[in-house]
Amino acid sequence: MTEKRIGQLKYRLMESRYRISNVDRRFSEPLYRWNFIATKSVWRISTSGKNLYFDPDWLQKLDDEALDFILSHELMHIALGHVDRPKYYRGERYHLAADIVANANLTLLGWQREKMPKIGRIYTETFFPKSDGRTMTSLEAFACVPFDPSDLSESKKRGYMIDSDEYWDKTRVCTDGILILSPQDTIPKGLVSKNKASRFRAHKKEFAPAKEDAFPKNWTDDAPTGKYDTTDKQEDSQGYKSESDSNGVNEQIQMLRDMVKVNNSSQITFAERMWQANDPSTVDWRKLLCDIVQCDVIDYTFSPPDKRFADRDIFLPDYGVVDQKFKEVLFMVDTSGSISRSVLNGVFAELKGAITQFDGALSGILGFFDSLVYPLIPFHSISDLSSAVPVGGGGTDYCELFNYIRKNISPDSISSIVIFTDGQAEFPPIPLNDNIPVLWLFSKASVSAPWGRQATVRI
């Protein structure tokens, strides 16, 4: 590749990166840490999470709008945790489901196009049952994609796929790549000095705050160093094969529609993560919380006062009444894609049990998190919990959780942090709790955290 062509590609990527960053800086942040690597060994474009690999011949044909879209599409895959999919979800069927969810979430940034030159049709809904990709996780969407594109002819398959997952899971090593743009490259003055024709736009009020922290802050530890990563382990990647035949996607979907009524579907979607307690609490909350914090013992009360002095002009408290009073407890509930409705119901039962065991004297703050932390909800009663709607569905990031707590909650305002989770994520190796007592409550007995108190609950 000539130096002139490398320079042209670099400048176009810089322009696109600049435009996207002007829409939402937090969303575009990883673009400034990626290495952009040109290679003919990838179909169109793919990302490993910290490197972006692309076919230079294909990328050079994209107009500004299409280039902005495809880079945003790769960012959304990472923001939603698609790149770190479970091994048994490798293959085109899961990839198509992840594309649908990513595209649908990009509509929150203003992308409304159904088709794009050199990219193709932009799917934002699943096929059967037909659902908006914004309302579900990639694993939920997977169940609503009843065919495997790899079973189709090459031309038909490419009608559904818009990018490649070759470098997802860090299972491939690029041996023929040319580094086009790295974080160390100097940004020229006057970049995008005139208003380009790109239609990339954002509805910021709709997009924030749920997505404004879409990228974990600890990603800076994995920032590229200027040389693209060749240390990823090589593994065999076997795509999941569906049992459906390859007579045609439309025929398959129509057969399903004839056989099954959509309203009988039992799929749990992102928007249906409601909770309700089916079983009573299994935890002695007084003991758990007293074990991790020093509670205030209150052995008197003015309501009612001491009756022995009722006939005198003396107003004294009645001693002998023992109660325990805590500062507010922060309860954080993992709502990532691996958390089922039954687990959420169990968590709700435990929270109700905590309030009940303290006779309504326990108040606190409830929050939901996956790779993001969603707006916190103060509670003083069970009814406050009942009105809370669990949101989430992405990957799990404990570092982002503690970063959020550090920034938004004073250590003096809470007595402890209780985290309900299945433990299916990487734990911070060192404590990030600012000396606030932490209790990990795991739904699986096989999980262990490197620090903090921990227990297993039967949920």
Side-chain angles (χ1 to χ4, degrees):
M1 186 179 296
T2 65
E3 289 296 325
K4 180 179 180 181
R5 191 181 181 199
I6 291 175
Q8 291 172 340
L9 288 169
K10 177 184 294 188
Y11 197 81
R12 286 211 65 203
L13 289 168
M14 283 185 172
E15 285 184 322
S16 181
R17 189 173 65 176
Y18 179 88
R19 288 191 296 267
I20 296 172
S21 68
N22 280 338
V23 171
D24 192 292
R25 190 168 297 277
R26 285 182 179 271
F27 179 69
S28 65
E29 185 181 351
L31 288 174
Y32 288 86
R33 296 199 300 271
W34 279 354
N35 289 298
F36 293 79
I37 300 165
T39 174
K40 294 298 293 181
S41 64
V42 67
W43 183 72
R44 288 190 174 180
I45 193 165
S46 184
T47 180
S48 66
K50 60 182 179 180
N51 294 329
L52 189 80
Y53 304 89
F54 63 92
D55 178 348
D57 295 335
W58 173 77
L59 186 134
Q60 207 160 18
K61 297 175 183 177
L62 301 179
D63 60 22
D64 289 344
E65 182 182 11
L67 180 57
D68 292 352
F69 172 81
I70 201 64
L71 294 187
S72 299
H73 178 87
E74 302 305 307
L75 285 170
M76 191 60 76
H77 273 318
I78 299 174
L80 298 176
H82 299 161
V83 174
D84 299 318
R85 62 187 169 181
K87 290 183 179 180
Y88 44 88
Y89 279 107
R90 291 178 184 167
E92 302 287 13
R93 182 182 173 192
Y94 174 83
H95 182 193
L96 176 55
D99 276 353
I100 290 169
V101 175
N103 293 336
N105 278 276
L106 283 174
T107 63
L108 297 174
L109 280 172
W111 290 108
Q112 305 294 338
R113 294 283 295 274
E114 294 183 0
K115 290 184 179 180
M116 266 188 195
K118 307 301 180 183
I119 291 180
R121 183 169 178 179
I122 311 300
Y123 290 96
T124 60
E125 294 181 323
T126 56
F127 301 95
F128 181 81
K130 192 172 184 179
S131 301
D132 188 338
R134 291 175 298 181
T135 68
M136 54 202 338
T137 69
S138 57
L139 299 184
E140 292 163 348
F142 176 85
C144 302
V145 177
F147 64 95
D148 190 338
S150 62
D151 290 338
L152 307 176
S153 66
E154 193 65 23
S155 61
K156 287 185 178 180
K157 182 183 82 170
R158 293 189 175 186
Y160 289 97
M161 315 306 296
I162 64 174
D163 65 341
S164 169
D165 60 6
E166 288 183 61
Y167 291 94
W168 290 15
D169 325 300
K170 301 179 181 178
T171 58
R172 292 284 302 271
V173 176
C174 181
T175 58
D176 64 346
I178 299 174
L179 184 61
I180 300 298
L181 176 61
S182 79
Q184 284 70 41
D185 285 323
T186 303
I187 300 175
K189 294 181 179 179
L191 183 68
V192 195
S193 57
K194 59 182 179 179
N195 186 19
K196 290 284 184 177
S198 173
R199 298 181 184 179
F200 185 77
R201 57 191 175 82
H203 303 304
K204 291 189 176 180
K205 290 183 179 179
E206 293 181 31
F207 192 71
K211 291 286 188 294
E212 68 176 12
D213 291 325
F215 297 92
K217 304 299 181 294
N218 60 319
W219 280 23
T220 54
D221 298 336
D222 297 325
T225 59
K227 295 182 178 180
Y228 58 86
D229 185 11
T230 58
T231 61
D232 296 339
K233 187 180 295 185
Q234 185 80 30
E235 298 179 6
D236 292 333
S237 177
Q238 296 295 328
Y240 175 87
K241 295 285 185 180
S242 71
E243 296 180 357
S244 60
D245 58 37
S246 56
N247 292 334
V249 174
N250 293 333
E251 289 82 355
Q252 294 177 39
I253 295 174
Q254 187 58 49
M255 287 173 60
L256 285 169
R257 285 179 176 150
D258 292 341
M259 293 171 60
V260 182
K261 292 183 179 180
V262 175
N263 58 9
N264 288 335
S265 172
S266 61
Q267 298 300 324
I268 302 172
T269 67
F270 178 98
E272 292 172 339
R273 288 179 175 269
M274 302 295 292
W275 53 1
Q276 55 185 13
N278 296 323
D279 301 305
S281 171
T282 62
V283 170
D284 184 346
W285 280 97
R286 282 185 180 272
K287 184 177 186 305
L288 271 183
L289 292 180
C290 287
D291 282 347
I292 64 171
V293 296
Q294 283 289 330
C295 58
D296 298 325
V297 177
I298 304 172
D299 59 358
Y300 65 89
T301 179
F302 283 96
S303 180
D306 195 325
K307 295 179 180 179
R308 293 175 298 171
F309 301 94
D311 58 345
R312 304 183 188 181
D313 295 331
I314 302 175
F315 187 70
L316 294 175
D318 185 16
Y319 287 85
V321 178
V322 178
D323 196 6
Q324 292 167 322
K325 193 72 175 178
F326 290 93
K327 287 189 291 185
E328 291 192 329
V329 178
L330 175 61
F331 291 93
M332 298 303 303
V333 179
D334 181 353
T335 51
S336 60
S338 59
I339 301 295
S340 66
R341 185 199 296 268
S342 62
V343 171
L344 284 175
N345 290 345
V347 172
F348 186 34
E350 294 301 336
L351 291 175
K352 286 181 64 176
I355 294 177
T356 302
Q357 288 180 37
F358 280 92
D359 299 322
L362 180 68
S363 62
I365 306 170
L366 172 65
F368 303 108
F369 74 97
D370 46 23
S371 59
L372 313 175
V373 178
Y374 299 93
L376 302 179
I377 306 166
F379 70 87
H380 302 282
S381 65
I382 292 175
S383 62
D384 292 336
L385 295 177
S386 302
S387 60
V389 179
V391 292
T396 307
D397 191 324
Y398 298 129
C399 290
E400 179 62 18
L401 168 61
F402 285 102
N403 285 337
Y404 181 92
I405 293 172
R406 281 177 166 180
K407 290 181 178 180
N408 295 278
I409 299 176
S410 169
D412 297 329
S413 65
I414 57 175
S415 63
S416 56
I417 304 170
V418 178
I419 303 172
F420 291 90
T421 180
D422 59 1
Q424 301 303 301
E426 184 176 349
F427 291 94
I430 60 174
L432 301 177
N433 54 327
D434 288 336
N435 295 320
I436 304 172
V438 172
L439 173 63
W440 300 86
L441 289 183
F442 295 117
S443 60
K444 298 181 179 180
S446 60
V447 181
S448 178
W451 48 272
R453 294 289 187 94
Q454 49 199 294
T456 303
V457 292
R458 297 191 300 274
I459 53 179

